[in-house]
Amino acid sequence: MIRPSSLGLGITGPHTTPLIPADQTQALIQAALDAGITLFDTGPAYGQGEGETRLGKALGSQRPTALISTKAGITEHRERDFSADGIEASLVRSLERLGTCYVDWLWLHGPSPDELTNPALLARLADLKSRAMIRHVGVCGRGRELDTALEIDAIEGIMAPFHAGLDTRQRARLRTAHNAGLFVAGIEVMAGARRGHTNPLRPADLWTLARRVKHRLTGLSSPPLDITPAQALEFALDAQEIDCALTMTSRIPHMQANARLAGLVGPGATT
């Protein structure tokens, strides 16, 4: 049985746009496998399913060596649908793009507490598990939906922001989930870390800059922290609240450096 690595790789952001060619994404995924990363996260809302398509093509015959994590509830066209039929239809389309008959994790992508407690939805998720289309069910979110998830036996994991600037209540929620035996995946683990200029700049950096501006305008920005991205990642990797730190990068050397920080020693990792 494959164990999730303490460091995961997100096939999101610029990897779902023309800013990064598909073959570059696929090379990164192969290098991540070589470095010992086993968990890969994506979703239909990322580039209208482009992230799933790229991940599926990159894994190919190596699918049995990786854990695939994808989402449902926000469709390829960013429409919200947490109905039982909508979740199953979304999963079927995701499986087709991924080129696989099952996913290891299906995360409900930001459901409201009412949507999450819908008996029809919970029954359908159980049915999808019994049909071996999904292995585990989790909730990806930021607020009250995570508190609700902790009360539902069918939910086996939560995915949420985790970084050095997180407030006490948010950390306590993740600690409660971890102590209850849920799998906890931390996202945005380098949020707030100071970032120097990257040279040379690449097209993918435009996406990162645009995302920072959007987060500032929408109030999602994390408070600035006097730590480097590497220190931020070390903080997440050392934390007791999460099982896996999910990161996203477009550069193989960055990914390999992150893998070394996580103590991964895959045969393809550079020293």
Side-chain angles (χ1 to χ4, degrees):
M1 183 175 181
I2 306 169
R3 293 177 59 85
S5 48
S6 59
L7 180 74
L9 183 65
I11 310 303
T12 63
H15 287 290
T16 67
T17 74
L19 293 171
I20 294 181
D23 59 353
Q24 185 177 328
T25 299
Q26 291 165 20
L28 177 73
I29 293 168
Q30 181 59 60
L33 287 167
D34 292 342
I37 291 175
T38 61
L39 182 64
F40 297 85
D41 179 65
T42 188
Y46 306 141
Q48 295 185 339
E50 179 66 13
E52 294 177 322
T53 298
R54 292 189 181 193
L55 178 58
K57 288 182 178 178
L59 292 178
S61 62
Q62 298 179 90
R63 167 67 179 101
T65 69
L67 301 173
I68 292 179
S69 160
T70 194
K71 302 177 181 72
I74 306 297
T75 72
E76 304 92 322
H77 306 292
R78 293 197 169 270
E79 297 169 341
R80 190 178 185 86
D81 187 354
F82 286 92
S83 67
D85 288 344
I87 292 296
E88 179 169 354
S90 177
L91 173 62
V92 168
R93 295 193 300 273
S94 291
L95 294 176
E96 182 176 353
R97 285 189 291 266
L98 288 162
T100 185
C101 60
Y102 71 96
V103 293
D104 299 278
W105 279 94
L106 181 70
W107 302 90
L108 300 178
H109 201 172
S112 69
D114 287 343
E115 289 168 330
L116 185 53
T117 54
N118 178 0
L121 172 60
L122 296 176
R124 186 65 60 86
L125 291 170
D127 178 59
L128 294 171
K129 285 187 70 174
S130 72
R131 290 152 59 190
M133 296 172 71
I134 55 178
R135 289 186 170 173
H136 303 284
V137 178
V139 172
C140 175
R142 296 173 179 272
R144 291 189 305 120
E145 67 275 16
L146 298 179
D147 296 319
T148 302
L150 295 177
E151 301 172 358
I152 300 174
D153 291 340
I155 301 303
E156 302 165 273
I158 62 174
M159 180 184 291
F162 184 83
H163 49 77
L166 212 63
D167 66 40
T168 302
R169 183 178 182 280
Q170 291 170 311
R171 287 195 68 168
R173 173 194 286 144
L174 299 185
R175 191 177 303 113
T176 297
H178 185 270
N179 291 343
L182 275 69
F183 178 76
V184 183
I187 59 175
E188 301 172 14
V189 296
M190 299 181 193
R194 64 175 185 265
R195 296 178 183 270
H197 297 291
T198 300
N199 291 310
L201 288 176
R202 299 182 182 185
D205 298 320
L206 299 175
W207 183 92
T208 303
L209 292 171
R211 185 172 185 263
R212 289 181 198 165
V213 171
K214 179 181 178 181
H215 277 194
R216 287 175 184 171
L217 293 175
T218 57
L220 290 177
S221 291
S222 300
L225 303 169
D226 190 23
I227 57 176
T228 65
Q231 290 171 328
L233 179 56
E234 285 184 302
F235 172 84
L237 292 168
D238 290 341
Q240 299 299 310
E241 292 92 337
I242 65 173
D243 299 288
C244 178
L246 283 167
T247 59
M248 189 281 294
T249 181
S250 61
R251 292 172 166 85
I252 289 177
H254 285 184
M255 178 278 299
Q256 291 172 328
N258 292 343
R260 289 194 294 272
L261 280 177
L264 304 181
V265 289
T270 59
T271 57

